[in-house]
Amino acid sequence: MTQSQSRSTSPANWQPGMPEREGLWIFTRLRDFIDGIANSSPARLALSAFGVVILVFTALLSLPLASATGQVTPLHQAFFTAASAVCVTGLTVVSTAVHWSFFGQLVILVGIFVGGLGTLTLASLLALMVSKRLGVRGKLIAQEAMNAGRLGEVGTLLRIVIVTSVVIEAALALTLIPRFLILGESFPQAVWHGIFYAISSFNNAGFTPHSDGIVPYETDLWILVPLMLGVFLGSLGFPVVMVLHQNGLRWKKWNLHTKLTIQVSFILLAAGTVLWGFLEWDNLRTIGDMDLGDKITHALFASVMLRSGGFNLVDQNHMESTTMLLSDALMFAGGGSASTAGGIKVTTIAVMFLAIAAEARGDADVKIYGRTIPEGTMRVAISVIVAGATLVSVSALLLLHISHASLDRVLFETISAFATVGLSTNLSAELPPSGVYVLALLMFAGRVGTVTLAAGLALRQRSQLYHYPEERPIIG
C-alpha cells in the first residue's frame, strides 16, 4: 500500500464504505496473485494449496476443543494427524477414537474429504473460487489430471469429481448405517460411524472412529464388502470412474488409461490375494486357525487394503517377514492416477512392463491395444519410479537413525507413508517428534509429488534450436 493510500484510509480521513473498498482491494490483489500462479506455475499452486490446507487443519486440531480431554494437542501430533488426514493416509500417532473429541474427529473427516479431491483438483477449485476463472495453463494441468477431452470441459469435470465423491460416499453410508443399528448402536452413533467409514474408505484414508478399528467386524461381510468396494472404486481414479459412467462395461469404448488401470488393478488384486493368503495360511498369529471362508476373506481384504486402503484385520507386526515384503511391494505400486490412492500408480507399472517387453522383443515402439505409448510418457514413468524410490530410501535411512527400529518395520512404515496407505506396525506412535515430522513430510511428498511431477514433466517442454550428436552408453 502506498503512503497516499495509507493516509486516505486513516481514521481522520475515514468515510463510509472505505472498509468495503479496502476489502475489495485486498480480494482483488489475492485474486490476481492466485490467478498469476495458476497461469505461470499450476504445480506450485497445487503444492501451496495443499500445504495451506494442512496448516489450517493443524491449527484446528491444536484447539482444546478438538481433544477429548479439552487440552491443547502437541504441535507435532496435530500436524501429523492433519497431514495424514489431508493426504488421505491413515497413519496415527494418537488414537482417533480416544484422543479426539467429536469436533476433532469431524475436522479429520473434513480433511479426508478435501484431501481426497487431489492436489490438482484442489488447486483448480481454489483458482475458480478466487479468480472465478482458470487460465489456459491451469486448464491444461487440470485437463491432464482428469483426462479431459477439451479445455472447455474442465470446469464441468471439476463439478463431476465432487458430485461423484458425494454420491458414492452417500451410497456407502446408507449401506453401513443399517448394519451398525442392527449391531446395537444408537441412531446418532450409527449415522456418524456409517458416514465416517464411507468417506474414509472411498478416499482410501483408513481412519476409524472405533478404538479397536474394524477388527471386531472381521467376519462381518455386511461391513467388510462396502469398505472393500469403496476403497477399490476410490483407487481407480476419477477419470476411470467417469469413463465407466459414460460407457459402462463396453471395453471398446474405453480409453487406454481406463483399460490399463482396470486390468493392472485386477491383476494386482488377484495376485495379492493369492500370495498373501499363501504366505499367511499357517500363521497362527494371523489367520492360521481360521476356517477356509474366513481365510479367503482376510486374504482378499488385505490385498484390497494394501493398495492404499489402510484398514486392517490383523496385527501387521504378527505377519511373516515374507508377507511384509509382499506388502511393501503392493503398497509401493498403489492405485490409479488422479485417484484417492497413493503409490507410483498402476499405469506407471504398466508402462514400464510394456517397455521392458518391447525391448525384449526388439520392437522400436511400445504398443498396446492398437495404440503407441509416446517416449515422453516412458520418461515420466521412469522419473516417478526413481523419485519414489529415492524418497523412500532417504526417509527410511533417517528413521533408522532416529528410531533404531528394525529395518522391516521402518521400511514398512516408510512405504506406507509415501504410498498414503496407512497400515502401520505402530512405529509412528513410538517415534519422537523428529521422526514424526519426517513421516509427515513423506506423506505430503507421496500425495502431491508423483502426480505433480508427472504433470509438470508432461506439459513443460522446451523448444531446442540444436541437437547434439547421439551416442549410446552401455546399459545393463
Coordinates of all heavy atoms in Angstrom, one line a residue, residues 80 84 89-94 205-207 215 305-306 308-319 324 327-328 331 399 408-417 420-431 436 439 443:
F80 N 0.9 -34.0 12.4 CA 1.0 -35.3 11.8 C -0.5 -35.8 11.4 O -0.7 -36.3 10.3 CB 1.6 -36.3 12.7 CG 1.8 -37.7 12.1 CD1 3.0 -38.0 11.4 CD2 0.8 -38.6 12.3 CE1 3.2 -39.2 10.9 CE2 1.0 -39.9 11.7 CZ 2.2 -40.2 11.0
S84 N -1.8 -36.5 7.8 CA -2.3 -37.9 7.5 C -3.8 -37.8 6.9 O -4.1 -38.6 6.0 CB -2.3 -38.7 8.7 OG -2.7 -40.1 8.5
T89 N -4.0 -40.7 4.3 CA -3.1 -41.8 4.6 C -3.7 -42.7 5.6 O -3.9 -43.9 5.4 CB -1.7 -41.2 5.1 OG1 -1.2 -40.3 4.1 CG2 -0.7 -42.3 5.3
G90 N -3.9 -42.2 6.8 CA -4.5 -43.0 7.9 C -3.5 -43.4 9.0 O -3.9 -44.0 10.0
L91 N -2.2 -43.0 8.9 CA -1.3 -43.3 9.9 C -1.6 -42.3 11.1 O -2.0 -41.2 10.9 CB 0.2 -43.0 9.5 CG 0.8 -44.0 8.5 CD1 2.2 -43.5 8.1 CD2 0.9 -45.4 9.2
T92 N -1.5 -42.8 12.3 CA -1.8 -42.0 13.5 C -0.7 -42.1 14.6 O 0.0 -43.2 14.7 CB -3.2 -42.5 14.1 OG1 -3.1 -43.9 14.5 CG2 -4.3 -42.3 13.1
V93 N -0.6 -41.1 15.3 CA 0.3 -41.1 16.5 C -0.5 -41.1 17.8 O 0.1 -41.3 18.9 CB 1.3 -39.9 16.5 CG1 2.3 -40.1 15.3 CG2 0.5 -38.6 16.3
V94 N -1.8 -40.8 17.7 CA -2.7 -40.9 18.8 C -4.0 -41.6 18.3 O -4.3 -41.6 17.1 CB -3.1 -39.6 19.4 CG1 -1.8 -38.9 20.1 CG2 -3.7 -38.6 18.4
A205 N -8.5 -43.6 3.1 CA -7.8 -42.9 4.2 C -7.5 -43.9 5.3 O -6.4 -43.9 5.9 CB -8.7 -41.8 4.8
G206 N -8.4 -44.8 5.7 CA -8.0 -45.8 6.7 C -8.3 -45.4 8.1 O -7.9 -46.1 9.0
F207 N -8.8 -44.2 8.3 CA -9.1 -43.7 9.7 C -10.3 -44.5 10.2 O -11.3 -44.7 9.4 CB -9.4 -42.2 9.7 CG -8.1 -41.4 9.7 CD1 -7.6 -40.9 8.6 CD2 -7.5 -41.0 10.9 CE1 -6.4 -40.1 8.6 CE2 -6.4 -40.2 11.0 CZ -5.9 -39.8 9.8
V215 N -11.4 -54.6 13.6 CA -11.1 -56.0 13.9 C -12.4 -56.7 14.5 O -12.6 -57.9 14.2 CB -10.0 -56.0 15.0 CG1 -9.8 -57.4 15.5 CG2 -8.7 -55.4 14.4
M305 N -6.7 -53.6 0.7 CA -6.3 -52.5 1.6 C -4.8 -52.2 1.4 O -4.4 -51.0 1.6 CB -6.5 -52.9 3.0 CG -8.0 -53.0 3.3 SD -9.0 -51.6 2.8 CE -10.6 -52.3 2.7
L306 N -4.0 -53.1 1.0 CA -2.6 -52.9 0.8 C -2.3 -51.9 -0.4 O -1.2 -51.3 -0.5 CB -1.8 -54.2 0.5 CG -1.5 -55.0 1.8 CD1 -1.0 -56.4 1.4 CD2 -0.5 -54.3 2.6
S308 N -3.7 -49.1 -0.8 CA -3.9 -47.8 -0.3 C -5.0 -47.6 0.6 O -5.2 -46.5 1.2 CB -4.0 -46.7 -1.5 OG -3.8 -45.4 -1.0
G309 N -5.8 -48.6 0.9 CA -6.9 -48.5 1.8 C -6.6 -48.2 3.2 O -7.1 -47.3 3.8
G310 N -5.7 -49.0 3.8 CA -5.3 -48.7 5.2 C -6.0 -49.4 6.3 O -5.6 -49.4 7.4
F311 N -7.2 -50.0 6.0 CA -7.9 -50.8 7.1 C -7.2 -52.1 7.3 O -6.7 -52.7 6.3 CB -9.3 -51.0 6.7 CG -10.1 -49.7 6.6 CD1 -10.5 -49.2 5.4 CD2 -10.5 -49.0 7.7 CE1 -11.3 -48.1 5.2 CE2 -11.2 -47.8 7.6 CZ -11.6 -47.4 6.4
N312 N -7.2 -52.6 8.5 CA -6.5 -53.9 8.7 C -7.3 -54.8 9.7 O -8.0 -54.3 10.5 CB -5.1 -53.7 9.3 CG -5.1 -53.1 10.7 OD1 -5.4 -51.9 10.9 ND2 -4.9 -53.9 11.7
L313 N -7.3 -56.1 9.4 CA -7.9 -57.1 10.3 C -7.0 -57.8 11.1 O -7.4 -58.5 12.1 CB -8.7 -58.0 9.4 CG -9.9 -57.5 8.6 CD1 -10.5 -58.5 7.7 CD2 -10.9 -56.8 9.5
V314 N -5.7 -57.8 10.8 CA -4.6 -58.5 11.6 C -3.6 -57.5 12.0 O -3.4 -56.5 11.4 CB -4.0 -59.7 10.8 CG1 -5.1 -60.7 10.4 CG2 -3.3 -59.2 9.6
D315 N -2.8 -57.8 13.1 CA -1.7 -57.0 13.5 C -0.6 -57.2 12.5 O -0.1 -58.3 12.3 CB -1.3 -57.5 14.9 CG -0.3 -56.5 15.6 OD1 0.5 -55.8 14.8 OD2 -0.2 -56.5 16.8
Q316 N -0.1 -56.0 12.0 CA 0.9 -56.1 11.0 C 2.2 -56.6 11.5 O 3.1 -57.2 10.8 CB 1.1 -54.7 10.4 CG -0.1 -54.0 9.9 CD -0.8 -54.8 8.8 OE1 -0.2 -55.0 7.7 NE2 -2.0 -55.2 9.0
N317 N 2.5 -56.5 12.8 CA 3.7 -57.0 13.5 C 3.7 -58.5 13.5 O 4.7 -59.1 13.7 CB 3.9 -56.4 14.9 CG 4.2 -55.0 14.8 OD1 5.3 -54.6 14.3 ND2 3.4 -54.1 15.4
H318 N 2.5 -59.1 13.4 CA 2.4 -60.6 13.5 C 2.5 -61.3 12.2 O 2.5 -62.5 12.1 CB 1.1 -61.0 14.2 CG 1.0 -60.6 15.6 ND1 -0.2 -60.5 16.3 CD2 1.9 -60.1 16.5 CE1 0.0 -60.1 17.5 NE2 1.3 -59.9 17.7
M319 N 2.7 -60.5 11.1 CA 2.8 -61.2 9.8 C 4.2 -61.7 9.6 O 5.2 -61.3 10.2 CB 2.5 -60.2 8.7 CG 1.1 -59.6 8.7 SD 0.6 -58.7 7.2 CE 1.9 -57.4 7.2
M324 N 5.4 -59.2 4.8 CA 5.7 -57.8 4.9 C 6.4 -57.3 3.7 O 6.1 -56.2 3.2 CB 6.6 -57.5 6.2 CG 5.9 -57.8 7.5 SD 6.8 -57.2 8.9 CE 6.7 -55.4 8.8
S327 N 3.8 -57.0 1.1 CA 3.0 -55.8 1.4 C 3.8 -54.5 1.0 O 3.1 -53.6 0.4 CB 2.8 -55.7 2.9 OG 2.1 -56.8 3.4
D328 N 5.1 -54.5 1.2 CA 5.8 -53.3 0.7 C 5.7 -53.1 -0.8 O 5.5 -52.0 -1.2 CB 7.3 -53.5 1.1 CG 7.6 -53.5 2.6 OD1 6.8 -52.9 3.3 OD2 8.7 -54.0 3.0
M331 N 2.1 -51.9 -1.6 CA 1.9 -50.5 -1.2 C 2.6 -49.6 -2.1 O 2.0 -48.5 -2.5 CB 2.3 -50.3 0.2 CG 1.4 -51.0 1.3 SD 1.9 -50.5 3.0 CE 3.5 -51.1 3.1
L399 N 14.8 -42.5 9.4 CA 14.0 -43.1 10.5 C 14.8 -44.3 11.2 O 14.7 -44.5 12.4 CB 12.7 -43.7 10.0 CG 11.7 -42.6 9.5 CD1 10.5 -43.3 9.0 CD2 11.3 -41.7 10.7
D408 N 12.8 -54.0 8.7 CA 11.5 -54.4 8.2 C 10.3 -53.5 8.7 O 9.5 -53.1 7.9 CB 11.1 -55.9 8.4 CG 11.2 -56.2 9.9 OD1 11.6 -55.4 10.7 OD2 10.7 -57.3 10.3
R409 N 10.4 -53.1 10.0 CA 9.4 -52.2 10.5 C 9.5 -50.8 9.9 O 8.5 -50.1 9.5 CB 9.4 -52.1 12.0 CG 9.0 -53.4 12.7 CD 9.0 -53.1 14.2 NE 7.9 -52.2 14.6 CZ 7.9 -51.4 15.7 NH1 9.0 -51.5 16.6 NH2 6.9 -50.7 16.0
V410 N 10.7 -50.3 9.8 CA 11.0 -49.0 9.3 C 10.6 -48.9 7.8 O 9.9 -47.9 7.4 CB 12.5 -48.6 9.5 CG1 12.8 -47.3 8.7 CG2 12.8 -48.4 10.9
L411 N 11.0 -49.9 7.0 CA 10.7 -49.9 5.6 C 9.1 -50.0 5.4 O 8.6 -49.3 4.5 CB 11.4 -51.0 4.9 CG 11.3 -51.0 3.4 CD1 12.0 -49.8 2.8 CD2 12.0 -52.3 2.8
F412 N 8.5 -50.8 6.2 CA 7.0 -50.9 6.1 C 6.4 -49.6 6.4 O 5.5 -49.1 5.6 CB 6.5 -52.0 7.0 CG 5.1 -52.3 6.9 CD1 4.7 -53.4 6.1 CD2 4.1 -51.6 7.5 CE1 3.3 -53.7 6.0 CE2 2.8 -51.9 7.4 CZ 2.4 -53.0 6.6
E413 N 6.7 -48.9 7.4 CA 6.1 -47.7 7.8 C 6.4 -46.6 6.8 O 5.6 -45.7 6.5 CB 6.6 -47.3 9.2 CG 5.7 -46.3 10.0 CD 4.6 -47.1 10.7 OE1 4.7 -48.4 10.7 OE2 3.7 -46.5 11.3
T414 N 7.7 -46.6 6.3 CA 8.1 -45.6 5.3 C 7.3 -45.7 4.0 O 6.8 -44.7 3.5 CB 9.6 -45.7 5.0 OG1 10.3 -45.6 6.2 CG2 10.0 -44.6 4.1
I415 N 7.2 -46.9 3.5 CA 6.4 -47.1 2.3 C 5.0 -46.8 2.5 O 4.3 -46.2 1.6 CB 6.7 -48.5 1.7 CG1 8.1 -48.7 1.3 CG2 5.7 -48.8 0.5 CD1 8.4 -50.1 0.8
S416 N 4.4 -47.2 3.6 CA 3.0 -46.9 4.0 C 2.7 -45.4 4.0 O 1.7 -45.0 3.5 CB 2.7 -47.5 5.3 OG 1.3 -47.3 5.6
A417 N 3.7 -44.6 4.5 CA 3.5 -43.2 4.5 C 3.6 -42.6 3.1 O 2.8 -41.8 2.7 CB 4.6 -42.5 5.4
T420 N 0.7 -43.4 1.0 CA -0.5 -42.9 1.7 C -1.5 -44.1 1.9 O -2.7 -44.0 1.7 CB -1.3 -41.8 0.9 OG1 -1.8 -42.4 -0.3 CG2 -0.3 -40.7 0.6
V421 N -0.9 -45.2 2.4 CA -1.7 -46.4 2.7 C -2.3 -46.3 4.1 O -3.5 -46.4 4.3 CB -0.8 -47.7 2.6 CG1 -1.7 -48.9 3.0 CG2 -0.3 -47.8 1.2
G422 N -1.4 -46.2 5.1 CA -1.9 -46.0 6.5 C -1.8 -47.3 7.3 O -2.1 -47.2 8.5
L423 N -1.4 -48.4 6.7 CA -1.1 -49.6 7.6 C 0.1 -49.3 8.4 O 1.1 -48.7 7.9 CB -1.0 -50.8 6.7 CG -2.2 -51.3 5.9 CD1 -1.9 -52.4 4.9 CD2 -3.3 -51.8 6.9
S424 N 0.1 -49.9 9.6 CA 1.2 -49.5 10.5 C 1.7 -50.6 11.4 O 0.9 -51.5 11.7 CB 0.8 -48.3 11.4 OG 1.8 -48.0 12.3
T425 N 2.9 -50.6 11.7 CA 3.5 -51.6 12.7 C 3.6 -50.9 14.1 O 4.2 -51.3 15.0 CB 4.9 -52.0 12.3 OG1 5.8 -50.9 12.2 CG2 4.9 -52.8 11.0
N426 N 2.8 -49.7 14.2 CA 2.8 -48.9 15.4 C 4.1 -48.1 15.6 O 4.3 -47.5 16.7 CB 2.5 -49.7 16.6 CG 1.9 -48.9 17.7 OD1 1.0 -48.0 17.4 ND2 2.2 -49.1 19.0
L427 N 4.9 -48.1 14.6 CA 6.2 -47.3 14.7 C 5.9 -45.8 14.8 O 6.6 -45.1 15.5 CB 7.1 -47.6 13.5 CG 8.5 -46.9 13.5 CD1 9.3 -47.4 14.7 CD2 9.2 -47.2 12.2
S428 N 4.9 -45.3 14.1 CA 4.6 -43.9 14.1 C 4.3 -43.4 15.5 O 4.8 -42.3 15.8 CB 3.4 -43.6 13.2 OG 3.6 -44.0 11.9
A429 N 3.6 -44.2 16.3 CA 3.3 -43.7 17.6 C 4.5 -43.8 18.5 O 4.5 -43.2 19.6 CB 2.1 -44.6 18.2
E430 N 5.5 -44.6 18.2 CA 6.7 -44.7 19.0 C 7.8 -43.7 18.7 O 8.7 -43.6 19.5 CB 7.2 -46.1 18.9 CG 6.3 -47.2 19.3 CD 6.8 -48.6 18.9 OE1 8.0 -48.7 18.4 OE2 6.1 -49.6 19.1
L431 N 7.6 -43.0 17.6 CA 8.7 -42.1 17.1 C 8.7 -40.8 18.0 O 7.7 -40.3 18.4 CB 8.5 -41.7 15.7 CG 8.7 -42.8 14.6 CD1 8.3 -42.3 13.2 CD2 10.2 -43.2 14.6
V436 N 8.4 -38.1 13.6 CA 7.0 -37.8 13.2 C 7.0 -36.8 12.1 O 6.2 -36.9 11.1 CB 6.2 -37.2 14.4 CG1 4.9 -36.6 14.0 CG2 6.0 -38.4 15.4
L439 N 8.0 -38.5 8.7 CA 6.9 -39.2 8.1 C 5.8 -38.3 7.6 O 5.2 -38.5 6.5 CB 6.2 -40.2 9.2 CG 6.9 -41.5 9.4 CD1 6.1 -42.3 10.4 CD2 7.1 -42.3 8.1
M443 N 4.5 -38.2 3.8 CA 3.1 -38.3 3.3 C 2.7 -37.2 2.4 O 2.1 -37.4 1.3 CB 2.2 -38.3 4.6 CG 2.2 -39.5 5.4 SD 1.0 -39.6 6.7 CE 1.5 -38.3 7.8

